[in-house]
Amino acid sequence: MLIRSFPAGAFGTNCYAVAPGRGQECVVVDPGMDAVEPLARMLAEDGLKPVAVVLTHGHLDHTFSVLPVCEGYDIPAYLHPSDNGMLSDPARWHGPALAPLITGVRLPDPSEVRRLDDGAVLPLAGVELTVRHAPGHTQGSVVFSLDLGSEFDGAPGLLAGDVLFAGSVGRVDLPGGSWEAMLTSLRDVVLPLDDATVVLPGHGPATTIGRERATNPYLAEAGAAAPKGRGL
């Protein structure tokens, strides 16, 4: 498996390209602010041809360049339907830090975006992405599980978006965020993963589930949280 990435824009959002190898088709993940030109250069370096854009959630720092990328390569975009409102009315769902960027930004019409459903397996560009709905950062946040192959010593991988970072988790204070939902997602979606799983987050460096299980205080809190319907 070939994984390439770069931090896009002022928020340093990790934009990924995932492919079976050099010179093959690929999937683009989260093309954020000012991502069009650096993405084109990154794809050209390995001779990659994108066939789809998949979005971990609808925040503008992850979706800013999705329309020009999709139009430029004539490819579809995928997003969980619970975040469609972030495309149709971005001003409602973003805090003041992103407000100056919203005016004039062109985002896809939600009706033209293909839906991501929990548990779906997307066979794209010779890569199988398993979708898990993991709300908390946003209502429609998802993570993608995949097999990273020999380049990562056969370890499983997780494209985590803003659900899990090295030493932290995504913020929950913007509209649509929920700490209770985040704890549930961490407990039910993240913690069951194998310790060897390589986490490729939406911001910052890669990590592993084992490292985060041992050191991330938010995962510890999630592990201590009682399942819904149990406890006092």
Side-chain angles (χ1 to χ4, degrees):
M1 191 67 65
L2 181 71
I3 309 287
R4 295 289 185 260
S5 67
F6 65 93
F11 291 88
T13 303
N14 291 329
C15 177
Y16 295 93
V18 184
R22 299 187 66 183
Q24 300 190 46
E25 293 180 335
C26 72
V27 179
V28 174
V29 184
D30 289 352
M33 294 171 54
D34 304 320
V36 175
E37 292 185 5
L39 174 63
R41 291 194 296 269
M42 185 176 74
L43 297 176
E45 288 175 0
D46 288 298
L48 301 177
K49 179 183 178 182
V51 300
V53 170
V54 297
L55 300 168
T56 60
H57 63 288
H59 279 154
L60 199 61
D61 62 320
H62 290 250
T63 64
F64 192 94
S65 297
V66 62
L67 188 59
V69 169
C70 287
E71 289 182 341
Y73 296 100
D74 191 24
I75 58 177
Y78 291 77
L79 178 70
H80 192 279
S82 293
D83 275 3
N84 281 349
M86 294 185 180
L87 301 180
S88 59
D89 186 13
R92 177 185 173 193
W93 299 94
H94 294 81
L98 286 178
L101 303 174
I102 292 171
T103 302
V105 67
R106 295 174 61 237
L107 295 171
D109 187 302
S111 65
E112 299 173 355
V113 175
R114 300 182 184 181
R115 61 182 292 147
L116 294 172
D117 293 315
D118 184 44
V121 178
L122 301 180
L124 298 169
V127 178
E128 284 195 350
L129 300 176
T130 300
V131 182
R132 288 300 312 273
H133 186 208
H137 180 61
T138 69
Q139 294 172 347
S141 287
V142 301
V143 298
F144 300 100
S145 294
L146 69 162
D147 181 0
L148 295 180
S150 59
E151 185 168 329
F152 293 83
D153 296 324
L158 186 75
L159 290 157
D162 286 5
V163 174
L164 180 65
F165 306 134
S168 190
V169 297
R171 62 189 293 182
V172 297
D173 58 324
L174 295 176
S178 165
W179 182 238
E180 180 182 16
M182 176 65 85
L183 286 176
T184 299
S185 293
L186 294 174
R187 185 194 69 216
D188 295 347
V189 177
V190 173
L191 281 173
L193 296 173
D194 190 278
D195 280 353
T197 302
V198 177
V199 179
L200 303 169
H203 301 268
T207 183
T208 66
I209 291 296
R211 184 180 302 137
E212 298 311 302
R213 195 189 311 278
T215 63
N216 191 319
Y218 303 103
L219 280 189
E221 182 176 350
K228 289 183 179 179
R230 298 175 64 181
L232 299 178

